[in-house]
Amino acid sequence: HGDLHIAQFLARGERLTVIDFEGNPTLPLSQRRLQSSPLRDLATLRRSFDHVATAAARRVGCEPGLTLNWSDSVLAEVSAGYGAAGRVADRAAGRVAAVDPVRLHAFEVAAELRELRYARAVLPEWAYVAHAGLDRLAKVY
């Protein structure tokens, strides 16, 4: 998919339904159809939850750059829940692979840079979210 985020899910009780299968809309259709690492989806989904935490923190008046207390645990739960025992099916490689945290981090940085480019072009008031995400990602290493 390459652009999985929480706005593409509908929840009804305990059931989640994915409603968007177009992938990354900034890429041509021919590139969107290519198989890629599932870590790209995990990265965009983690970034999406981080964006929610950043926006919520701003709404409740937290100091800029901070997120709410639940955000780190949500990111950990998303990663743990994405694949059984921290593993993901990598169909592009034809195997089940353990989540590589360095590779995941690289996909997250790429996703956040794409988010910043989107914000600057389409929704400038959203750029603070991408800047905060890049700041947090930079502190990982």
Side-chain angles (χ1 to χ4, degrees), residues 5-20:
H5 54 83
I6 60 173
Q8 295 169 334
F9 291 90
L10 292 178
R12 182 175 182 187
E14 295 290 316
R15 186 175 180 175
L16 286 177
T17 303
V18 178
I19 60 169
D20 179 341

Side-chain angles (χ1 to χ4, degrees), residues 49-88:
F49 277 103
D50 188 61
H51 297 163
V52 169
T54 299
R58 185 184 226 196
R59 283 190 174 197
V60 298
C62 285
E63 186 178 320
L66 296 180
T67 58
L68 302 177
N69 292 334
W70 54 263
S71 62
D72 288 338
S73 63
V74 167
L75 294 180
E77 286 183 39
V78 167
S79 294
Y82 195 81
R87 300 172 69 79
V88 294

Side-chain angles (χ1 to χ4, degrees), residues 47 108-119 130 134 137:
R47 293 290 83 226
E108 284 192 78
V109 170
E112 203 65 79
L113 289 170
R114 191 175 75 230
E115 190 73 22
L116 180 58
R117 187 173 57 240
Y118 166 81
L134 285 168
L137 288 168

